[in-house]
Amino acid sequence: MFIDAQLHRLPDVIAMPTAAGVFALLTVDAVITDRWDRLFGATVCAAVITTVFVSMGLVLGSRGMGLGDAKLILSVTALLGWWGWGAAFGAVFLGFLGAGVVGIVLLASGRVPRGAHIPVGPCFIASAVLMLALMGWAPTG
């Protein structure tokens, strides 16, 4: 998170093992609790959303989101996809909303010029933590 904020890079050395760890832990949970449907849902959710992010990164190039953010979103959407598509989309929405607020504050304070790139990775991580907290508080039915 701090690397992305300072250098605008999310290294593969961090992003890919994180994704592997998330999928490994979700698989362990599916084995223990026999909730294979949740693992399948999380995998499909992560695959679809990551494909959209990678496509945007490739099509837009330097004008769009970086591929590091697309690799990070794999972990975020897999983790939250365990609870359903709504949780995953909620985290993505909150991440973009947070990045927008950060961008507006940085522009208004004069800390960045217009057209500057705002690191979105820290916002996605914060939104994942926030969404996990919200899922913990949500009533179970």
PDB file of all heavy atoms in Angstrom, residues 15-57:
ATOM      1  N   ALA A  15       1.708  -8.438  -5.081  1.00  0.00           N
ATOM      2  CA  ALA A  15       0.329  -8.653  -5.543  1.00  0.00           C
ATOM      3  C   ALA A  15       0.021 -10.124  -5.816  1.00  0.00           C
ATOM      4  O   ALA A  15      -1.048 -10.615  -5.431  1.00  0.00           O
ATOM      5  CB  ALA A  15       0.072  -7.827  -6.802  1.00  0.00           C
ATOM      6  N   MET A  16       0.909 -10.827  -6.460  1.00  0.00           N
ATOM      7  CA  MET A  16       0.607 -12.207  -6.845  1.00  0.00           C
ATOM      8  C   MET A  16       0.618 -13.172  -5.648  1.00  0.00           C
ATOM      9  O   MET A  16      -0.291 -13.991  -5.526  1.00  0.00           O
ATOM     10  CB  MET A  16       1.542 -12.670  -7.963  1.00  0.00           C
ATOM     11  CG  MET A  16       1.412 -11.824  -9.239  1.00  0.00           C
ATOM     12  SD  MET A  16      -0.284 -11.400  -9.705  1.00  0.00           S
ATOM     13  CE  MET A  16      -0.847 -12.944 -10.337  1.00  0.00           C
ATOM     14  N   PRO A  17       1.592 -13.111  -4.734  1.00  0.00           N
ATOM     15  CA  PRO A  17       1.503 -13.972  -3.551  1.00  0.00           C
ATOM     16  C   PRO A  17       0.282 -13.657  -2.678  1.00  0.00           C
ATOM     17  O   PRO A  17      -0.283 -14.554  -2.053  1.00  0.00           O
ATOM     18  CB  PRO A  17       2.800 -13.702  -2.791  1.00  0.00           C
ATOM     19  CG  PRO A  17       3.754 -13.222  -3.815  1.00  0.00           C
ATOM     20  CD  PRO A  17       2.914 -12.450  -4.792  1.00  0.00           C
ATOM     21  N   THR A  18      -0.131 -12.396  -2.654  1.00  0.00           N
ATOM     22  CA  THR A  18      -1.327 -12.042  -1.903  1.00  0.00           C
ATOM     23  C   THR A  18      -2.550 -12.727  -2.489  1.00  0.00           C
ATOM     24  O   THR A  18      -3.369 -13.301  -1.761  1.00  0.00           O
ATOM     25  CB  THR A  18      -1.529 -10.508  -1.890  1.00  0.00           C
ATOM     26  OG1 THR A  18      -0.373  -9.906  -1.318  1.00  0.00           O
ATOM     27  CG2 THR A  18      -2.763 -10.114  -1.111  1.00  0.00           C
ATOM     28  N   ALA A  19      -2.673 -12.706  -3.795  1.00  0.00           N
ATOM     29  CA  ALA A  19      -3.798 -13.376  -4.459  1.00  0.00           C
ATOM     30  C   ALA A  19      -3.749 -14.884  -4.207  1.00  0.00           C
ATOM     31  O   ALA A  19      -4.774 -15.501  -3.900  1.00  0.00           O
ATOM     32  CB  ALA A  19      -3.779 -13.082  -5.953  1.00  0.00           C
ATOM     33  N   ALA A  20      -2.568 -15.457  -4.318  1.00  0.00           N
ATOM     34  CA  ALA A  20      -2.432 -16.898  -4.060  1.00  0.00           C
ATOM     35  C   ALA A  20      -2.816 -17.225  -2.618  1.00  0.00           C
ATOM     36  O   ALA A  20      -3.488 -18.225  -2.360  1.00  0.00           O
ATOM     37  CB  ALA A  20      -1.001 -17.345  -4.356  1.00  0.00           C
ATOM     38  N   GLY A  21      -2.404 -16.378  -1.682  1.00  0.00           N
ATOM     39  CA  GLY A  21      -2.743 -16.593  -0.273  1.00  0.00           C
ATOM     40  C   GLY A  21      -4.235 -16.490  -0.016  1.00  0.00           C
ATOM     41  O   GLY A  21      -4.804 -17.295   0.723  1.00  0.00           O
ATOM     42  N   VAL A  22      -4.883 -15.517  -0.646  1.00  0.00           N
ATOM     43  CA  VAL A  22      -6.331 -15.370  -0.482  1.00  0.00           C
ATOM     44  C   VAL A  22      -7.045 -16.609  -0.996  1.00  0.00           C
ATOM     45  O   VAL A  22      -7.911 -17.174  -0.320  1.00  0.00           O
ATOM     46  CB  VAL A  22      -6.843 -14.094  -1.196  1.00  0.00           C
ATOM     47  CG1 VAL A  22      -8.357 -14.102  -1.327  1.00  0.00           C
ATOM     48  CG2 VAL A  22      -6.378 -12.841  -0.465  1.00  0.00           C
ATOM     49  N   PHE A  23      -6.669 -17.066  -2.200  1.00  0.00           N
ATOM     50  CA  PHE A  23      -7.321 -18.252  -2.755  1.00  0.00           C
ATOM     51  C   PHE A  23      -7.015 -19.501  -1.932  1.00  0.00           C
ATOM     52  O   PHE A  23      -7.883 -20.361  -1.761  1.00  0.00           O
ATOM     53  CB  PHE A  23      -6.931 -18.457  -4.218  1.00  0.00           C
ATOM     54  CG  PHE A  23      -7.721 -17.599  -5.160  1.00  0.00           C
ATOM     55  CD1 PHE A  23      -7.163 -16.468  -5.725  1.00  0.00           C
ATOM     56  CD2 PHE A  23      -9.033 -17.910  -5.467  1.00  0.00           C
ATOM     57  CE1 PHE A  23      -7.893 -15.673  -6.588  1.00  0.00           C
ATOM     58  CE2 PHE A  23      -9.776 -17.124  -6.325  1.00  0.00           C
ATOM     59  CZ  PHE A  23      -9.201 -15.992  -6.887  1.00  0.00           C
ATOM     60  N   ALA A  24      -5.806 -19.602  -1.398  1.00  0.00           N
ATOM     61  CA  ALA A  24      -5.470 -20.751  -0.553  1.00  0.00           C
ATOM     62  C   ALA A  24      -6.326 -20.763   0.715  1.00  0.00           C
ATOM     63  O   ALA A  24      -6.864 -21.810   1.102  1.00  0.00           O
ATOM     64  CB  ALA A  24      -3.984 -20.729  -0.197  1.00  0.00           C
ATOM     65  N   LEU A  25      -6.463 -19.606   1.357  1.00  0.00           N
ATOM     66  CA  LEU A  25      -7.273 -19.535   2.577  1.00  0.00           C
ATOM     67  C   LEU A  25      -8.751 -19.777   2.299  1.00  0.00           C
ATOM     68  O   LEU A  25      -9.435 -20.439   3.090  1.00  0.00           O
ATOM     69  CB  LEU A  25      -7.069 -18.184   3.259  1.00  0.00           C
ATOM     70  CG  LEU A  25      -5.688 -17.967   3.879  1.00  0.00           C
ATOM     71  CD1 LEU A  25      -5.533 -16.531   4.360  1.00  0.00           C
ATOM     72  CD2 LEU A  25      -5.440 -18.952   4.999  1.00  0.00           C
ATOM     73  N   LEU A  26      -9.244 -19.265   1.187  1.00  0.00           N
ATOM     74  CA  LEU A  26     -10.640 -19.530   0.830  1.00  0.00           C
ATOM     75  C   LEU A  26     -10.860 -21.020   0.549  1.00  0.00           C
ATOM     76  O   LEU A  26     -11.904 -21.580   0.896  1.00  0.00           O
ATOM     77  CB  LEU A  26     -11.049 -18.692  -0.378  1.00  0.00           C
ATOM     78  CG  LEU A  26     -11.144 -17.188  -0.171  1.00  0.00           C
ATOM     79  CD1 LEU A  26     -11.523 -16.484  -1.469  1.00  0.00           C
ATOM     80  CD2 LEU A  26     -12.109 -16.830   0.941  1.00  0.00           C
ATOM     81  N   THR A  27      -9.874 -21.660  -0.066  1.00  0.00           N
ATOM     82  CA  THR A  27      -9.972 -23.102  -0.345  1.00  0.00           C
ATOM     83  C   THR A  27      -9.969 -23.894   0.952  1.00  0.00           C
ATOM     84  O   THR A  27     -10.750 -24.840   1.116  1.00  0.00           O
ATOM     85  CB  THR A  27      -8.828 -23.553  -1.267  1.00  0.00           C
ATOM     86  OG1 THR A  27      -8.886 -22.791  -2.482  1.00  0.00           O
ATOM     87  CG2 THR A  27      -8.927 -25.031  -1.587  1.00  0.00           C
ATOM     88  N   VAL A  28      -9.110 -23.519   1.893  1.00  0.00           N
ATOM     89  CA  VAL A  28      -9.087 -24.188   3.199  1.00  0.00           C
ATOM     90  C   VAL A  28     -10.442 -24.029   3.878  1.00  0.00           C
ATOM     91  O   VAL A  28     -10.990 -24.989   4.435  1.00  0.00           O
ATOM     92  CB  VAL A  28      -7.945 -23.629   4.081  1.00  0.00           C
ATOM     93  CG1 VAL A  28      -8.093 -24.080   5.521  1.00  0.00           C
ATOM     94  CG2 VAL A  28      -6.596 -24.039   3.522  1.00  0.00           C
ATOM     95  N   ASP A  29     -10.998 -22.837   3.840  1.00  0.00           N
ATOM     96  CA  ASP A  29     -12.309 -22.617   4.440  1.00  0.00           C
ATOM     97  C   ASP A  29     -13.377 -23.471   3.758  1.00  0.00           C
ATOM     98  O   ASP A  29     -14.231 -24.060   4.420  1.00  0.00           O
ATOM     99  CB  ASP A  29     -12.688 -21.144   4.361  1.00  0.00           C
ATOM    100  CG  ASP A  29     -13.876 -20.787   5.252  1.00  0.00           C
ATOM    101  OD1 ASP A  29     -14.742 -21.644   5.481  1.00  0.00           O
ATOM    102  OD2 ASP A  29     -13.937 -19.637   5.704  1.00  0.00           O
ATOM    103  N   ALA A  30     -13.328 -23.559   2.430  1.00  0.00           N
ATOM    104  CA  ALA A  30     -14.305 -24.372   1.702  1.00  0.00           C
ATOM    105  C   ALA A  30     -14.184 -25.852   2.072  1.00  0.00           C
ATOM    106  O   ALA A  30     -15.194 -26.546   2.214  1.00  0.00           O
ATOM    107  CB  ALA A  30     -14.127 -24.192   0.197  1.00  0.00           C
ATOM    108  N   VAL A  31     -12.949 -26.323   2.263  1.00  0.00           N
ATOM    109  CA  VAL A  31     -12.745 -27.728   2.650  1.00  0.00           C
ATOM    110  C   VAL A  31     -13.307 -27.981   4.048  1.00  0.00           C
ATOM    111  O   VAL A  31     -14.001 -28.968   4.287  1.00  0.00           O
ATOM    112  CB  VAL A  31     -11.237 -28.088   2.594  1.00  0.00           C
ATOM    113  CG1 VAL A  31     -10.963 -29.412   3.260  1.00  0.00           C
ATOM    114  CG2 VAL A  31     -10.743 -28.089   1.145  1.00  0.00           C
ATOM    115  N   ILE A  32     -13.015 -27.074   4.971  1.00  0.00           N
ATOM    116  CA  ILE A  32     -13.431 -27.260   6.362  1.00  0.00           C
ATOM    117  C   ILE A  32     -14.942 -27.126   6.525  1.00  0.00           C
ATOM    118  O   ILE A  32     -15.566 -27.917   7.232  1.00  0.00           O
ATOM    119  CB  ILE A  32     -12.689 -26.264   7.286  1.00  0.00           C
ATOM    120  CG1 ILE A  32     -11.207 -26.616   7.330  1.00  0.00           C
ATOM    121  CG2 ILE A  32     -13.283 -26.258   8.684  1.00  0.00           C
ATOM    122  CD1 ILE A  32     -10.342 -25.584   8.020  1.00  0.00           C
ATOM    123  N   THR A  33     -15.525 -26.137   5.867  1.00  0.00           N
ATOM    124  CA  THR A  33     -16.946 -25.845   6.076  1.00  0.00           C
ATOM    125  C   THR A  33     -17.847 -26.431   4.998  1.00  0.00           C
ATOM    126  O   THR A  33     -19.070 -26.289   5.088  1.00  0.00           O
ATOM    127  CB  THR A  33     -17.173 -24.324   6.129  1.00  0.00           C
ATOM    128  OG1 THR A  33     -16.782 -23.759   4.874  1.00  0.00           O
ATOM    129  CG2 THR A  33     -16.408 -23.697   7.273  1.00  0.00           C
ATOM    130  N   ASP A  34     -17.264 -27.049   3.995  1.00  0.00           N
ATOM    131  CA  ASP A  34     -18.001 -27.640   2.879  1.00  0.00           C
ATOM    132  C   ASP A  34     -18.872 -26.598   2.168  1.00  0.00           C
ATOM    133  O   ASP A  34     -20.018 -26.843   1.812  1.00  0.00           O
ATOM    134  CB  ASP A  34     -18.862 -28.825   3.364  1.00  0.00           C
ATOM    135  CG  ASP A  34     -19.302 -29.700   2.202  1.00  0.00           C
ATOM    136  OD1 ASP A  34     -18.535 -29.835   1.230  1.00  0.00           O
ATOM    137  OD2 ASP A  34     -20.426 -30.228   2.263  1.00  0.00           O
ATOM    138  N   ARG A  35     -18.291 -25.401   1.972  1.00  0.00           N
ATOM    139  CA  ARG A  35     -18.994 -24.333   1.254  1.00  0.00           C
ATOM    140  C   ARG A  35     -18.317 -24.106  -0.096  1.00  0.00           C
ATOM    141  O   ARG A  35     -17.783 -23.040  -0.383  1.00  0.00           O
ATOM    142  CB  ARG A  35     -19.002 -23.050   2.073  1.00  0.00           C
ATOM    143  CG  ARG A  35     -19.888 -23.160   3.303  1.00  0.00           C
ATOM    144  CD  ARG A  35     -20.097 -21.834   3.941  1.00  0.00           C
ATOM    145  NE  ARG A  35     -19.010 -21.591   4.891  1.00  0.00           N
ATOM    146  CZ  ARG A  35     -18.965 -20.573   5.736  1.00  0.00           C
ATOM    147  NH1 ARG A  35     -19.926 -19.686   5.733  1.00  0.00           N
ATOM    148  NH2 ARG A  35     -17.971 -20.434   6.564  1.00  0.00           N
ATOM    149  N   TRP A  36     -18.372 -25.109  -0.948  1.00  0.00           N
ATOM    150  CA  TRP A  36     -17.727 -25.040  -2.252  1.00  0.00           C
ATOM    151  C   TRP A  36     -18.422 -24.024  -3.151  1.00  0.00           C
ATOM    152  O   TRP A  36     -17.788 -23.435  -4.036  1.00  0.00           O
ATOM    153  CB  TRP A  36     -17.700 -26.419  -2.895  1.00  0.00           C
ATOM    154  CG  TRP A  36     -16.840 -27.359  -2.114  1.00  0.00           C
ATOM    155  CD1 TRP A  36     -17.251 -28.297  -1.222  1.00  0.00           C
ATOM    156  CD2 TRP A  36     -15.412 -27.417  -2.128  1.00  0.00           C
ATOM    157  NE1 TRP A  36     -16.169 -28.941  -0.666  1.00  0.00           N
ATOM    158  CE2 TRP A  36     -15.020 -28.422  -1.215  1.00  0.00           C
ATOM    159  CE3 TRP A  36     -14.416 -26.719  -2.805  1.00  0.00           C
ATOM    160  CZ2 TRP A  36     -13.693 -28.756  -0.981  1.00  0.00           C
ATOM    161  CZ3 TRP A  36     -13.098 -27.051  -2.574  1.00  0.00           C
ATOM    162  CH2 TRP A  36     -12.746 -28.052  -1.671  1.00  0.00           C
ATOM    163  N   ASP A  37     -19.708 -23.802  -2.920  1.00  0.00           N
ATOM    164  CA  ASP A  37     -20.431 -22.820  -3.718  1.00  0.00           C
ATOM    165  C   ASP A  37     -19.865 -21.417  -3.495  1.00  0.00           C
ATOM    166  O   ASP A  37     -19.764 -20.621  -4.426  1.00  0.00           O
ATOM    167  CB  ASP A  37     -21.929 -22.851  -3.403  1.00  0.00           C
ATOM    168  CG  ASP A  37     -22.231 -22.647  -1.924  1.00  0.00           C
ATOM    169  OD1 ASP A  37     -21.393 -23.024  -1.077  1.00  0.00           O
ATOM    170  OD2 ASP A  37     -23.320 -22.106  -1.622  1.00  0.00           O
ATOM    171  N   ARG A  38     -19.470 -21.126  -2.272  1.00  0.00           N
ATOM    172  CA  ARG A  38     -18.874 -19.813  -1.985  1.00  0.00           C
ATOM    173  C   ARG A  38     -17.507 -19.667  -2.652  1.00  0.00           C
ATOM    174  O   ARG A  38     -17.182 -18.594  -3.163  1.00  0.00           O
ATOM    175  CB  ARG A  38     -18.749 -19.595  -0.481  1.00  0.00           C
ATOM    176  CG  ARG A  38     -20.063 -19.256   0.165  1.00  0.00           C
ATOM    177  CD  ARG A  38     -19.832 -18.820   1.577  1.00  0.00           C
ATOM    178  NE  ARG A  38     -21.033 -18.212   2.107  1.00  0.00           N
ATOM    179  CZ  ARG A  38     -21.040 -17.388   3.128  1.00  0.00           C
ATOM    180  NH1 ARG A  38     -19.917 -17.071   3.737  1.00  0.00           N
ATOM    181  NH2 ARG A  38     -22.162 -16.878   3.561  1.00  0.00           N
ATOM    182  N   LEU A  39     -16.720 -20.731  -2.637  1.00  0.00           N
ATOM    183  CA  LEU A  39     -15.414 -20.688  -3.309  1.00  0.00           C
ATOM    184  C   LEU A  39     -15.604 -20.489  -4.807  1.00  0.00           C
ATOM    185  O   LEU A  39     -14.900 -19.687  -5.425  1.00  0.00           O
ATOM    186  CB  LEU A  39     -14.616 -21.963  -3.033  1.00  0.00           C
ATOM    187  CG  LEU A  39     -13.245 -22.042  -3.710  1.00  0.00           C
ATOM    188  CD1 LEU A  39     -12.331 -20.921  -3.239  1.00  0.00           C
ATOM    189  CD2 LEU A  39     -12.610 -23.399  -3.442  1.00  0.00           C
ATOM    190  N   PHE A  40     -16.560 -21.199  -5.378  1.00  0.00           N
ATOM    191  CA  PHE A  40     -16.834 -21.048  -6.805  1.00  0.00           C
ATOM    192  C   PHE A  40     -17.288 -19.623  -7.112  1.00  0.00           C
ATOM    193  O   PHE A  40     -16.809 -18.995  -8.061  1.00  0.00           O
ATOM    194  CB  PHE A  40     -17.895 -22.063  -7.258  1.00  0.00           C
ATOM    195  CG  PHE A  40     -18.248 -21.942  -8.705  1.00  0.00           C
ATOM    196  CD1 PHE A  40     -17.379 -22.397  -9.684  1.00  0.00           C
ATOM    197  CD2 PHE A  40     -19.450 -21.361  -9.093  1.00  0.00           C
ATOM    198  CE1 PHE A  40     -17.699 -22.273 -11.027  1.00  0.00           C
ATOM    199  CE2 PHE A  40     -19.778 -21.230 -10.426  1.00  0.00           C
ATOM    200  CZ  PHE A  40     -18.902 -21.693 -11.404  1.00  0.00           C
ATOM    201  N   GLY A  41     -18.194 -19.091  -6.295  1.00  0.00           N
ATOM    202  CA  GLY A  41     -18.675 -17.726  -6.496  1.00  0.00           C
ATOM    203  C   GLY A  41     -17.565 -16.694  -6.381  1.00  0.00           C
ATOM    204  O   GLY A  41     -17.488 -15.763  -7.178  1.00  0.00           O
ATOM    205  N   ALA A  42     -16.700 -16.871  -5.388  1.00  0.00           N
ATOM    206  CA  ALA A  42     -15.584 -15.940  -5.205  1.00  0.00           C
ATOM    207  C   ALA A  42     -14.621 -16.000  -6.383  1.00  0.00           C
ATOM    208  O   ALA A  42     -14.128 -14.972  -6.853  1.00  0.00           O
ATOM    209  CB  ALA A  42     -14.843 -16.259  -3.908  1.00  0.00           C
ATOM    210  N   THR A  43     -14.387 -17.197  -6.897  1.00  0.00           N
ATOM    211  CA  THR A  43     -13.479 -17.369  -8.029  1.00  0.00           C
ATOM    212  C   THR A  43     -14.047 -16.732  -9.291  1.00  0.00           C
ATOM    213  O   THR A  43     -13.338 -16.019 -10.014  1.00  0.00           O
ATOM    214  CB  THR A  43     -13.189 -18.866  -8.263  1.00  0.00           C
ATOM    215  OG1 THR A  43     -12.648 -19.411  -7.059  1.00  0.00           O
ATOM    216  CG2 THR A  43     -12.223 -19.073  -9.400  1.00  0.00           C
ATOM    217  N   VAL A  44     -15.317 -16.978  -9.556  1.00  0.00           N
ATOM    218  CA  VAL A  44     -15.948 -16.385 -10.740  1.00  0.00           C
ATOM    219  C   VAL A  44     -16.000 -14.865 -10.613  1.00  0.00           C
ATOM    220  O   VAL A  44     -15.687 -14.136 -11.564  1.00  0.00           O
ATOM    221  CB  VAL A  44     -17.357 -16.980 -10.961  1.00  0.00           C
ATOM    222  CG1 VAL A  44     -18.105 -16.227 -12.041  1.00  0.00           C
ATOM    223  CG2 VAL A  44     -17.265 -18.459 -11.302  1.00  0.00           C
ATOM    224  N   CYS A  45     -16.377 -14.378  -9.454  1.00  0.00           N
ATOM    225  CA  CYS A  45     -16.433 -12.937  -9.205  1.00  0.00           C
ATOM    226  C   CYS A  45     -15.072 -12.295  -9.458  1.00  0.00           C
ATOM    227  O   CYS A  45     -14.965 -11.293 -10.170  1.00  0.00           O
ATOM    228  CB  CYS A  45     -16.893 -12.696  -7.778  1.00  0.00           C
ATOM    229  SG  CYS A  45     -17.008 -10.969  -7.315  1.00  0.00           S
ATOM    230  N   ALA A  46     -14.034 -12.871  -8.882  1.00  0.00           N
ATOM    231  CA  ALA A  46     -12.683 -12.324  -9.048  1.00  0.00           C
ATOM    232  C   ALA A  46     -12.232 -12.394 -10.503  1.00  0.00           C
ATOM    233  O   ALA A  46     -11.623 -11.449 -11.012  1.00  0.00           O
ATOM    234  CB  ALA A  46     -11.701 -13.072  -8.160  1.00  0.00           C
ATOM    235  N   ALA A  47     -12.550 -13.491 -11.184  1.00  0.00           N
ATOM    236  CA  ALA A  47     -12.141 -13.637 -12.584  1.00  0.00           C
ATOM    237  C   ALA A  47     -12.822 -12.596 -13.470  1.00  0.00           C
ATOM    238  O   ALA A  47     -12.169 -11.969 -14.320  1.00  0.00           O
ATOM    239  CB  ALA A  47     -12.461 -15.044 -13.068  1.00  0.00           C
ATOM    240  N   VAL A  48     -14.110 -12.391 -13.266  1.00  0.00           N
ATOM    241  CA  VAL A  48     -14.847 -11.445 -14.106  1.00  0.00           C
ATOM    242  C   VAL A  48     -14.372 -10.012 -13.861  1.00  0.00           C
ATOM    243  O   VAL A  48     -14.052  -9.282 -14.808  1.00  0.00           O
ATOM    244  CB  VAL A  48     -16.369 -11.572 -13.855  1.00  0.00           C
ATOM    245  CG1 VAL A  48     -17.131 -10.423 -14.493  1.00  0.00           C
ATOM    246  CG2 VAL A  48     -16.879 -12.909 -14.377  1.00  0.00           C
ATOM    247  N   ILE A  49     -14.312  -9.608 -12.607  1.00  0.00           N
ATOM    248  CA  ILE A  49     -13.935  -8.224 -12.302  1.00  0.00           C
ATOM    249  C   ILE A  49     -12.476  -7.965 -12.680  1.00  0.00           C
ATOM    250  O   ILE A  49     -12.149  -6.905 -13.222  1.00  0.00           O
ATOM    251  CB  ILE A  49     -14.222  -7.890 -10.828  1.00  0.00           C
ATOM    252  CG1 ILE A  49     -15.741  -7.956 -10.577  1.00  0.00           C
ATOM    253  CG2 ILE A  49     -13.683  -6.514 -10.455  1.00  0.00           C
ATOM    254  CD1 ILE A  49     -16.149  -7.792  -9.135  1.00  0.00           C
ATOM    255  N   THR A  50     -11.604  -8.921 -12.438  1.00  0.00           N
ATOM    256  CA  THR A  50     -10.200  -8.746 -12.811  1.00  0.00           C
ATOM    257  C   THR A  50     -10.050  -8.652 -14.325  1.00  0.00           C
ATOM    258  O   THR A  50      -9.249  -7.853 -14.826  1.00  0.00           O
ATOM    259  CB  THR A  50      -9.344  -9.899 -12.254  1.00  0.00           C
ATOM    260  OG1 THR A  50      -9.488  -9.905 -10.823  1.00  0.00           O
ATOM    261  CG2 THR A  50      -7.877  -9.725 -12.602  1.00  0.00           C
ATOM    262  N   THR A  51     -10.810  -9.437 -15.062  1.00  0.00           N
ATOM    263  CA  THR A  51     -10.767  -9.359 -16.523  1.00  0.00           C
ATOM    264  C   THR A  51     -11.177  -7.970 -17.007  1.00  0.00           C
ATOM    265  O   THR A  51     -10.555  -7.409 -17.914  1.00  0.00           O
ATOM    266  CB  THR A  51     -11.681 -10.434 -17.152  1.00  0.00           C
ATOM    267  OG1 THR A  51     -11.223 -11.720 -16.734  1.00  0.00           O
ATOM    268  CG2 THR A  51     -11.676 -10.354 -18.662  1.00  0.00           C
ATOM    269  N   VAL A  52     -12.192  -7.404 -16.385  1.00  0.00           N
ATOM    270  CA  VAL A  52     -12.620  -6.043 -16.747  1.00  0.00           C
ATOM    271  C   VAL A  52     -11.500  -5.047 -16.455  1.00  0.00           C
ATOM    272  O   VAL A  52     -11.176  -4.196 -17.286  1.00  0.00           O
ATOM    273  CB  VAL A  52     -13.917  -5.658 -15.996  1.00  0.00           C
ATOM    274  CG1 VAL A  52     -14.229  -4.174 -16.152  1.00  0.00           C
ATOM    275  CG2 VAL A  52     -15.074  -6.504 -16.476  1.00  0.00           C
ATOM    276  N   PHE A  53     -10.870  -5.161 -15.293  1.00  0.00           N
ATOM    277  CA  PHE A  53      -9.798  -4.228 -14.924  1.00  0.00           C
ATOM    278  C   PHE A  53      -8.578  -4.374 -15.829  1.00  0.00           C
ATOM    279  O   PHE A  53      -7.988  -3.378 -16.236  1.00  0.00           O
ATOM    280  CB  PHE A  53      -9.397  -4.442 -13.463  1.00  0.00           C
ATOM    281  CG  PHE A  53     -10.217  -3.646 -12.496  1.00  0.00           C
ATOM    282  CD1 PHE A  53     -11.581  -3.851 -12.390  1.00  0.00           C
ATOM    283  CD2 PHE A  53      -9.633  -2.686 -11.688  1.00  0.00           C
ATOM    284  CE1 PHE A  53     -12.352  -3.126 -11.502  1.00  0.00           C
ATOM    285  CE2 PHE A  53     -10.390  -1.951 -10.794  1.00  0.00           C
ATOM    286  CZ  PHE A  53     -11.761  -2.168 -10.705  1.00  0.00           C
ATOM    287  N   VAL A  54      -8.189  -5.609 -16.136  1.00  0.00           N
ATOM    288  CA  VAL A  54      -7.049  -5.834 -17.028  1.00  0.00           C
ATOM    289  C   VAL A  54      -7.364  -5.281 -18.411  1.00  0.00           C
ATOM    290  O   VAL A  54      -6.516  -4.622 -19.045  1.00  0.00           O
ATOM    291  CB  VAL A  54      -6.670  -7.330 -17.086  1.00  0.00           C
ATOM    292  CG1 VAL A  54      -5.683  -7.600 -18.211  1.00  0.00           C
ATOM    293  CG2 VAL A  54      -6.077  -7.779 -15.758  1.00  0.00           C
ATOM    294  N   SER A  55      -8.570  -5.511 -18.887  1.00  0.00           N
ATOM    295  CA  SER A  55      -8.971  -4.994 -20.199  1.00  0.00           C
ATOM    296  C   SER A  55      -8.914  -3.474 -20.223  1.00  0.00           C
ATOM    297  O   SER A  55      -8.412  -2.880 -21.185  1.00  0.00           O
ATOM    298  CB  SER A  55     -10.385  -5.459 -20.551  1.00  0.00           C
ATOM    299  OG  SER A  55     -10.441  -6.856 -20.611  1.00  0.00           O
ATOM    300  N   MET A  56      -9.425  -2.845 -19.162  1.00  0.00           N
ATOM    301  CA  MET A  56      -9.359  -1.381 -19.096  1.00  0.00           C
ATOM    302  C   MET A  56      -7.910  -0.904 -19.092  1.00  0.00           C
ATOM    303  O   MET A  56      -7.575   0.075 -19.753  1.00  0.00           O
ATOM    304  CB  MET A  56     -10.064  -0.870 -17.839  1.00  0.00           C
ATOM    305  CG  MET A  56     -11.561  -0.922 -17.913  1.00  0.00           C
ATOM    306  SD  MET A  56     -12.462  -0.168 -16.519  1.00  0.00           S
ATOM    307  CE  MET A  56     -11.342  -0.127 -15.169  1.00  0.00           C
ATOM    308  N   GLY A  57      -7.062  -1.595 -18.343  1.00  0.00           N
ATOM    309  CA  GLY A  57      -5.661  -1.206 -18.283  1.00  0.00           C
ATOM    310  C   GLY A  57      -4.965  -1.341 -19.624  1.00  0.00           C
ATOM    311  O   GLY A  57      -4.166  -0.488 -20.012  1.00  0.00           O
TER     312      GLY A  57
END
